[in-house]
Amino acid sequence: MNSVRPVSPDRLPELLRVMPKAELHIHIEGSLEPELIFALAKRNGMALPYANVETLREAYAFTNLQSFLDIYYAGASVLITEQDFYDMTRAYLERAAQDNVIHTEIFFDPQTHTARGVSMETVIKGLHRACVDAQAELGISAALILCFLRHLSEEDAFGTLEQALPWRDLIVGVGLDSGEVGNPPEKFARVFARCRELGLHLVAHAGEEGPPAYIWTALDLLKVERIDHGVQSAKDPALMQRLAKDRIALTVCPLSNLKLCVFPDLAQHNLPRLLDAGLAATVNSDDPAYFGGYMNDNFTQTFAATGMDAQHAWTLARNSFDASFADAAARRGHIERLTACFETFR
Ligand code: ADE
Ligand code: ZN
Protein backbone atom coordinates (compact mmCIF):
# COMPACT_ATOMS: atom_id res chain seq x y z
CA MET A 1 0.00 0.00 0.00
CA ASN A 2 1.83 3.09 -1.16
CA SER A 3 -0.98 5.57 -1.52
CA VAL A 4 -3.46 5.86 1.31
CA ARG A 5 -7.03 7.12 1.40
CA PRO A 6 -7.49 10.60 2.85
CA VAL A 7 -8.33 10.71 6.56
CA SER A 8 -10.39 13.61 7.89
CA PRO A 9 -8.42 16.13 9.95
CA ASP A 10 -10.43 15.31 13.07
CA ARG A 11 -9.42 11.62 12.85
CA LEU A 12 -5.76 12.22 11.98
CA PRO A 13 -4.50 12.51 15.60
CA GLU A 14 -6.14 9.16 16.41
CA LEU A 15 -4.49 7.55 13.38
CA LEU A 16 -1.10 8.96 14.43
CA ARG A 17 -1.54 7.55 17.93
CA VAL A 18 -2.74 4.06 17.04
CA MET A 19 -0.55 3.34 14.02
CA PRO A 20 2.29 0.92 14.77
CA LYS A 21 5.70 2.59 14.50
CA ALA A 22 9.39 2.07 15.18
CA GLU A 23 11.52 4.46 17.20
CA LEU A 24 15.09 4.64 15.87
CA HIS A 25 16.48 7.63 17.79
CA ILE A 26 16.08 7.56 21.56
CA HIS A 27 18.89 8.14 24.05
CA ILE A 28 17.93 5.99 27.00
CA GLU A 29 19.55 8.45 29.43
CA GLY A 30 17.28 11.08 27.87
CA SER A 31 14.22 9.11 28.98
CA LEU A 32 15.09 9.61 32.68
CA GLU A 33 12.14 11.58 34.04
CA PRO A 34 12.81 13.96 36.96
CA GLU A 35 10.75 11.72 39.28
CA LEU A 36 13.01 8.76 38.48
CA ILE A 37 16.16 10.90 38.84
CA PHE A 38 15.04 11.80 42.38
CA ALA A 39 14.03 8.21 43.20
CA LEU A 40 17.39 6.82 42.02
CA ALA A 41 19.35 9.56 43.82
CA LYS A 42 17.52 8.62 47.03
CA ARG A 43 18.10 4.89 46.51
CA ASN A 44 21.82 5.54 45.94
CA GLY A 45 22.20 8.01 48.82
CA MET A 46 23.11 10.90 46.51
CA ALA A 47 22.32 14.59 46.93
CA LEU A 48 21.07 16.58 43.93
CA PRO A 49 21.63 20.30 43.36
CA TYR A 50 17.85 20.79 42.98
CA ALA A 51 15.32 21.00 45.81
CA ASN A 52 12.65 18.93 44.08
CA VAL A 53 11.24 17.60 40.80
CA GLU A 54 9.67 20.96 39.91
CA THR A 55 12.87 22.97 40.28
CA LEU A 56 14.75 20.39 38.20
CA ARG A 57 12.11 20.63 35.47
CA GLU A 58 12.34 24.42 35.55
CA ALA A 59 16.02 24.09 34.62
CA TYR A 60 15.02 22.47 31.31
CA ALA A 61 15.18 25.72 29.33
CA PHE A 62 17.75 25.18 26.61
CA THR A 63 19.30 27.54 24.09
CA ASN A 64 21.30 25.01 22.06
CA LEU A 65 22.61 21.43 22.16
CA GLN A 66 25.43 22.08 24.64
CA SER A 67 23.14 23.80 27.16
CA PHE A 68 21.07 20.61 27.16
CA LEU A 69 24.00 18.18 27.27
CA ASP A 70 25.38 19.77 30.47
CA ILE A 71 22.16 19.03 32.36
CA TYR A 72 21.62 15.65 30.65
CA TYR A 73 25.03 14.27 31.73
CA ALA A 74 24.41 15.55 35.27
CA GLY A 75 21.03 13.75 35.35
CA ALA A 76 22.62 10.47 34.23
CA SER A 77 24.99 10.52 37.22
CA VAL A 78 22.29 8.96 39.46
CA LEU A 79 22.60 5.67 37.53
CA ILE A 80 24.84 3.33 39.56
CA THR A 81 23.54 -0.25 39.72
CA GLU A 82 22.35 -2.75 37.12
CA GLN A 83 18.86 -2.35 38.57
CA ASP A 84 19.01 1.43 37.95
CA PHE A 85 19.72 0.81 34.26
CA TYR A 86 16.97 -1.80 34.19
CA ASP A 87 14.39 0.50 35.80
CA MET A 88 15.18 3.39 33.44
CA THR A 89 14.88 1.18 30.36
CA ARG A 90 11.73 -0.56 31.59
CA ALA A 91 10.04 2.81 32.19
CA TYR A 92 10.89 3.95 28.66
CA LEU A 93 9.70 0.70 27.07
CA GLU A 94 6.38 0.85 28.92
CA ARG A 95 5.88 4.44 27.77
CA ALA A 96 6.88 3.61 24.18
CA ALA A 97 4.50 0.62 24.06
CA GLN A 98 1.63 2.95 25.11
CA ASP A 99 2.41 4.99 21.98
CA ASN A 100 2.19 1.86 19.80
CA VAL A 101 5.92 1.73 19.25
CA ILE A 102 6.36 -1.95 18.34
CA HIS A 103 10.11 -1.85 17.70
CA THR A 104 12.80 0.43 19.11
CA GLU A 105 16.55 0.83 18.73
CA ILE A 106 17.93 2.38 21.89
CA PHE A 107 21.08 4.52 22.10
CA PHE A 108 23.17 4.41 25.25
CA ASP A 109 26.25 6.45 26.22
CA PRO A 110 28.55 4.06 28.15
CA GLN A 111 31.38 6.61 28.54
CA THR A 112 29.07 8.76 30.68
CA HIS A 113 28.95 5.86 33.13
CA THR A 114 32.35 4.15 32.85
CA ALA A 115 34.04 7.53 33.49
CA ARG A 116 32.29 7.49 36.91
CA GLY A 117 33.45 3.96 37.74
CA VAL A 118 30.30 2.12 36.66
CA SER A 119 31.30 -0.98 34.69
CA MET A 120 30.31 -1.70 31.09
CA GLU A 121 28.88 -4.99 32.36
CA THR A 122 26.53 -3.19 34.78
CA VAL A 123 25.28 -0.86 32.04
CA ILE A 124 24.73 -3.43 29.29
CA LYS A 125 23.28 -6.15 31.51
CA GLY A 126 20.70 -3.77 32.99
CA LEU A 127 19.64 -2.43 29.60
CA HIS A 128 19.55 -5.85 27.98
CA ARG A 129 17.50 -7.52 30.72
CA ALA A 130 14.87 -4.79 30.41
CA CYS A 131 14.73 -5.33 26.63
CA VAL A 132 14.28 -9.10 27.04
CA ASP A 133 11.52 -8.68 29.65
CA ALA A 134 9.72 -6.04 27.57
CA GLN A 135 9.60 -8.33 24.54
CA ALA A 136 7.96 -11.05 26.65
CA GLU A 137 5.68 -8.85 28.75
CA LEU A 138 4.86 -5.86 26.53
CA GLY A 139 5.32 -7.30 23.02
CA ILE A 140 7.80 -4.59 22.02
CA SER A 141 11.11 -5.56 20.39
CA ALA A 142 14.19 -3.57 21.36
CA ALA A 143 17.84 -3.51 20.26
CA LEU A 144 20.81 -1.58 21.69
CA ILE A 145 23.11 0.88 19.88
CA LEU A 146 26.29 1.89 21.71
CA CYS A 147 27.10 5.56 21.10
CA PHE A 148 30.58 7.05 21.27
CA LEU A 149 30.79 10.54 22.76
CA ARG A 150 32.31 12.69 20.03
CA HIS A 151 33.68 15.35 22.42
CA LEU A 152 36.03 12.66 23.78
CA SER A 153 39.07 11.25 21.98
CA GLU A 154 39.42 8.50 19.41
CA GLU A 155 41.51 6.63 21.98
CA ASP A 156 38.68 6.77 24.52
CA ALA A 157 36.27 5.45 21.87
CA PHE A 158 38.61 2.53 21.05
CA GLY A 159 38.90 1.73 24.77
CA THR A 160 35.12 1.79 25.10
CA LEU A 161 34.72 -0.56 22.15
CA GLU A 162 37.24 -2.93 23.73
CA GLN A 163 35.28 -2.94 27.00
CA ALA A 164 32.04 -3.71 25.13
CA LEU A 165 33.43 -6.64 23.12
CA PRO A 166 32.43 -9.35 25.65
CA TRP A 167 28.81 -8.20 25.05
CA ARG A 168 29.12 -7.70 21.31
CA ASP A 169 26.13 -9.97 20.66
CA LEU A 170 23.87 -7.79 22.82
CA ILE A 171 24.52 -4.74 20.62
CA VAL A 172 23.10 -4.26 17.13
CA GLY A 173 25.23 -1.26 16.18
CA VAL A 174 27.21 1.82 17.15
CA GLY A 175 26.45 5.54 16.89
CA LEU A 176 28.08 8.91 17.48
CA ASP A 177 26.55 11.61 19.67
CA SER A 178 27.23 14.57 22.03
CA GLY A 179 28.46 18.04 20.99
CA GLU A 180 28.57 18.09 17.21
CA VAL A 181 30.16 21.36 16.10
CA GLY A 182 33.98 21.06 16.25
CA ASN A 183 33.83 17.25 16.51
CA PRO A 184 33.45 16.10 12.89
CA PRO A 185 32.80 12.48 11.95
CA GLU A 186 36.32 12.01 10.53
CA LYS A 187 37.68 12.04 14.10
CA PHE A 188 36.16 8.54 14.44
CA ALA A 189 36.82 7.07 10.99
CA ARG A 190 39.15 4.35 12.30
CA VAL A 191 36.85 3.36 15.17
CA PHE A 192 33.91 3.05 12.79
CA ALA A 193 36.02 1.01 10.34
CA ARG A 194 36.77 -1.44 13.17
CA CYS A 195 33.09 -1.61 14.15
CA ARG A 196 32.25 -2.34 10.52
CA GLU A 197 34.69 -5.25 10.52
CA LEU A 198 32.92 -6.54 13.62
CA GLY A 199 29.66 -6.62 11.68
CA LEU A 200 28.00 -3.86 13.69
CA HIS A 201 25.45 -1.54 12.10
CA LEU A 202 26.63 2.08 11.89
CA VAL A 203 24.74 5.34 12.50
CA ALA A 204 25.86 8.85 13.49
CA HIS A 205 24.36 12.15 14.57
CA ALA A 206 25.10 14.63 11.79
CA GLY A 207 23.51 17.85 10.63
CA GLU A 208 21.65 18.50 13.88
CA GLU A 209 23.47 21.80 14.46
CA GLY A 210 26.51 20.97 12.33
CA PRO A 211 26.94 21.71 8.61
CA PRO A 212 25.99 19.50 5.63
CA ALA A 213 29.73 18.69 5.30
CA TYR A 214 29.42 16.54 8.45
CA ILE A 215 26.63 14.52 6.80
CA TRP A 216 28.81 13.93 3.73
CA THR A 217 31.71 12.69 5.87
CA ALA A 218 29.42 10.54 8.04
CA LEU A 219 28.30 8.84 4.82
CA ASP A 220 31.59 8.67 2.94
CA LEU A 221 34.15 8.21 5.74
CA LEU A 222 32.19 6.52 8.53
CA LYS A 223 29.96 4.66 6.04
CA VAL A 224 26.89 5.00 8.22
CA GLU A 225 23.57 3.45 7.21
CA ARG A 226 21.36 6.12 8.81
CA ILE A 227 21.87 9.77 9.73
CA ASP A 228 20.55 10.89 13.12
CA HIS A 229 18.79 14.26 12.71
CA GLY A 230 20.21 15.35 9.32
CA VAL A 231 17.86 18.34 9.11
CA GLN A 232 20.70 20.63 7.95
CA SER A 233 20.84 18.58 4.71
CA ALA A 234 18.16 20.92 3.36
CA LYS A 235 20.92 23.53 2.91
CA ASP A 236 22.68 21.36 0.28
CA PRO A 237 20.68 20.28 -2.81
CA ALA A 238 23.35 17.79 -3.93
CA LEU A 239 23.27 16.16 -0.49
CA MET A 240 19.47 15.95 -0.61
CA GLN A 241 19.74 14.13 -3.93
CA ARG A 242 22.34 11.72 -2.55
CA LEU A 243 20.23 10.94 0.54
CA ALA A 244 17.14 10.37 -1.60
CA LYS A 245 18.93 8.26 -4.21
CA ASP A 246 20.60 5.98 -1.64
CA ARG A 247 17.49 5.82 0.60
CA ILE A 248 19.56 6.88 3.63
CA ALA A 249 17.11 7.24 6.50
CA LEU A 250 17.11 10.41 8.60
CA THR A 251 15.97 9.93 12.19
CA VAL A 252 14.36 13.34 12.68
CA CYS A 253 13.35 14.54 16.17
CA PRO A 254 10.97 17.50 15.85
CA LEU A 255 10.38 18.36 19.53
CA SER A 256 14.12 18.08 20.20
CA ASN A 257 14.80 20.51 17.35
CA LEU A 258 12.23 22.87 18.80
CA LYS A 259 13.60 22.72 22.38
CA LEU A 260 17.21 23.11 21.22
CA CYS A 261 16.29 26.08 18.99
CA VAL A 262 17.22 24.39 15.70
CA PHE A 263 13.90 25.71 14.34
CA PRO A 264 12.09 28.74 15.81
CA ASP A 265 8.74 26.90 15.85
CA LEU A 266 7.31 23.58 14.72
CA ALA A 267 5.42 25.17 11.83
CA GLN A 268 8.81 25.97 10.29
CA HIS A 269 10.21 22.47 10.74
CA ASN A 270 11.48 21.09 7.42
CA LEU A 271 10.17 17.53 7.87
CA PRO A 272 7.43 17.91 5.21
CA ARG A 273 10.00 19.35 2.81
CA LEU A 274 12.40 16.43 3.40
CA LEU A 275 9.61 13.89 2.83
CA ASP A 276 8.28 15.65 -0.25
CA ALA A 277 11.84 15.62 -1.70
CA GLY A 278 11.81 11.81 -1.38
CA LEU A 279 14.09 11.48 1.67
CA ALA A 280 13.49 8.50 3.98
CA ALA A 281 12.74 10.61 7.05
CA THR A 282 11.34 9.16 10.29
CA VAL A 283 9.95 10.72 13.50
CA ASN A 284 11.62 10.07 16.86
CA SER A 285 11.75 11.49 20.39
CA ASP A 286 15.55 11.84 21.04
CA ASP A 287 15.43 12.71 24.79
CA PRO A 288 11.72 12.65 25.63
CA ALA A 289 12.05 13.39 29.35
CA TYR A 290 13.84 16.66 28.52
CA PHE A 291 12.05 17.79 25.37
CA GLY A 292 8.44 17.54 26.46
CA GLY A 293 7.21 14.56 24.54
CA TYR A 294 7.38 10.90 23.58
CA MET A 295 6.67 9.48 20.13
CA ASN A 296 2.99 10.32 19.80
CA ASP A 297 3.56 13.87 21.08
CA ASN A 298 6.17 14.29 18.35
CA PHE A 299 3.76 13.01 15.72
CA THR A 300 0.62 14.86 16.78
CA GLN A 301 2.27 18.23 17.49
CA THR A 302 4.33 18.20 14.28
CA PHE A 303 1.36 17.22 12.11
CA ALA A 304 -0.84 19.88 13.74
CA ALA A 305 1.80 22.56 13.15
CA THR A 306 2.82 21.66 9.60
CA GLY A 307 -0.41 20.38 8.05
CA MET A 308 1.00 16.99 7.06
CA ASP A 309 -1.66 14.37 6.21
CA ALA A 310 -2.37 10.62 6.35
CA GLN A 311 -0.09 9.97 3.37
CA HIS A 312 2.80 11.53 5.29
CA ALA A 313 1.86 9.44 8.35
CA TRP A 314 2.00 6.26 6.29
CA THR A 315 5.35 7.20 4.76
CA LEU A 316 6.91 8.07 8.14
CA ALA A 317 5.78 4.83 9.79
CA ARG A 318 6.75 2.74 6.77
CA ASN A 319 10.17 4.43 6.64
CA SER A 320 10.71 3.64 10.33
CA PHE A 321 10.29 -0.09 9.68
CA ASP A 322 12.23 -0.10 6.42
CA ALA A 323 15.17 1.69 8.09
CA SER A 324 15.24 -0.48 11.20
CA PHE A 325 17.89 -3.13 11.85
CA ALA A 326 15.24 -5.78 12.58
CA ASP A 327 15.52 -8.84 10.33
CA ALA A 328 13.57 -9.00 7.06
CA ALA A 329 10.83 -11.29 8.42
CA ALA A 330 10.22 -9.02 11.42
CA ARG A 331 10.12 -5.94 9.18
CA ARG A 332 7.56 -7.63 6.91
CA GLY A 333 5.44 -8.42 9.96
CA HIS A 334 5.65 -4.81 11.15
CA ILE A 335 4.56 -3.49 7.74
CA GLU A 336 1.62 -5.93 7.67
CA ARG A 337 0.47 -4.55 11.03
CA LEU A 338 0.82 -1.01 9.68
CA THR A 339 -1.22 -1.89 6.59
CA ALA A 340 -3.95 -3.49 8.73
CA CYS A 341 -4.15 -0.37 10.88
CA PHE A 342 -4.57 1.93 7.89
CA GLU A 343 -7.27 -0.41 6.49
CA THR A 344 -9.39 0.32 9.56
CA PHE A 345 -9.27 4.06 8.73
CA ARG A 346 -10.87 3.70 5.33
N1 ADE B 1 22.91 13.03 23.31
C1 ADE B 1 21.64 13.02 23.77
N2 ADE B 1 20.85 13.74 22.97
C2 ADE B 1 21.62 14.24 21.98
C3 ADE B 1 21.40 15.04 20.85
N3 ADE B 1 20.17 15.52 20.56
N4 ADE B 1 22.43 15.35 20.06
C4 ADE B 1 23.66 14.89 20.33
N5 ADE B 1 23.93 14.12 21.39
C5 ADE B 1 22.92 13.79 22.21
ZN1 ZN C 1 20.07 12.24 19.51
Side-chain angles (χ1 to χ4, degrees):
M1 178 161 69
N2 284 321
S3 76
V4 302
R5 296 255 183 95
V7 169
S8 66
D10 58 314
R11 291 198 75 200
L12 187 56
E14 185 194 348
L15 171 65
L16 295 170
R17 281 194 286 270
V18 302
M19 69 176 186
K21 50 188 78 75
E23 174 148 56
L24 305 178
H25 185 159
I26 160 79
H27 301 263
I28 198 63
E29 296 89 350
S31 75
L32 257 186
E33 292 286 347
E35 289 79 3
L36 190 53
I37 291 181
F38 270 85
L40 295 180
K42 186 167 177 215
R43 187 156 94 188
N44 293 321
M46 298 166 75
L48 290 171
Y50 299 93
N52 52 43
V53 163
E54 288 70 36
T55 49
L56 175 55
R57 242 195 207 102
E58 279 162 18
Y60 294 179
F62 311 117
T63 51
N64 56 24
L65 175 58
Q66 193 58 52
S67 67
F68 154 70
L69 290 171
D70 294 341
I71 212 161
Y72 159 86
Y73 293 128
S77 68
V78 300
L79 295 157
I80 307 288
T81 66
E82 185 185 317
Q83 191 62 37
D84 297 342
F85 288 91
Y86 179 95
D87 291 345
M88 167 176 67
T89 309
R90 175 71 187 203
Y92 160 69
L93 288 164
E94 285 179 4
R95 187 64 188 74
Q98 277 174 23
D99 282 2
N100 294 302
V101 172
I102 61 173
H103 176 75
T104 178
E105 296 177 4
I106 298 176
F107 295 150
F108 67 108
D109 286 343
Q111 287 153 297
T112 307
H113 314 299
T114 53
R116 299 179 289 113
V118 176
S119 72
M120 185 69 81
E121 177 174 12
T122 298
V123 176
I124 295 184
K125 278 192 174 170
L127 299 179
H128 177 69
R129 186 160 57 85
C131 293
V132 170
D133 287 357
Q135 173 76 76
E137 294 162 22
L138 307 170
I140 179 171
S141 56
L144 298 175
I145 296 180
L146 182 159
C147 283
F148 300 110
L149 297 181
R150 67 199 306 158
H151 69 272
L152 299 178
S153 67
E154 178 195 47
E155 187 190 0
D156 209 303
F158 267 119
T160 299
L161 178 61
E162 193 68 30
Q163 289 172 51
L165 284 183
W167 294 279
R168 178 294 117 280
D169 292 347
L170 305 188
I171 295 167
V172 74
V174 298
L176 187 63
D177 65 1
S178 190
E180 184 183 10
V181 174
N183 295 300
E186 45 268 41
K187 191 173 158 186
F188 298 94
R190 289 186 294 197
V191 182
F192 271 61
R194 178 75 190 115
C195 291
R196 198 156 171 252
E197 284 171 4
L198 290 165
L200 289 158
H201 285 289
L202 309 178
V203 300
H205 283 55
E208 177 183 15
E209 288 183 340
Y214 285 19
I215 303 177
W216 284 108
T217 48
L219 294 172
D220 292 335
L221 298 181
L222 301 190
K223 304 200 185 301
V224 299
E225 298 156 79
R226 302 194 298 242
I227 294 286
D228 297 314
H229 293 290
V231 291
Q232 303 300 337
S233 61
K235 291 178 175 160
D236 182 340
L239 178 57
M240 296 266 280
Q241 280 181 12
R242 163 82 184 277
L243 293 166
K245 177 174 73 65
D246 291 349
R247 297 295 296 160
I248 304 289
L250 302 185
T251 62
V252 175
C253 307
L255 287 177
S256 163
N257 294 153
L258 178 67
K259 291 289 169 358
L260 301 187
C261 308
V262 174
F263 293 94
D265 56 60
L266 272 186
Q268 291 183 59
H269 199 286
N270 64 12
L271 179 60
R273 185 174 155 209
L274 298 172
L275 284 176
D276 294 347
L279 274 68
T282 62
V283 164
N284 307 271
S285 72
D286 205 7
D287 300 283
Y290 292 90
F291 299 150
Y294 286 78
M295 280 292 266
N296 285 354
D297 305 308
N298 272 275
F299 272 102
T300 54
Q301 291 186 38
T302 307
F303 273 65
T306 61
M308 286 191 290
D309 59 18
Q311 181 69 54
H312 290 107
W314 165 268
T315 303
L316 287 164
R318 170 86 207 232
N319 288 348
S320 76
F321 296 127
D322 287 342
S324 84
F325 299 141
D327 64 38
R331 279 187 279 125
R332 266 197 306 280
H334 295 149
I335 292 164
E336 276 165 21
R337 287 174 67 177
L338 179 64
T339 306
C341 171
F342 271 72
E343 297 283 339
T344 67
F345 274 80
R346 276 161 176 261

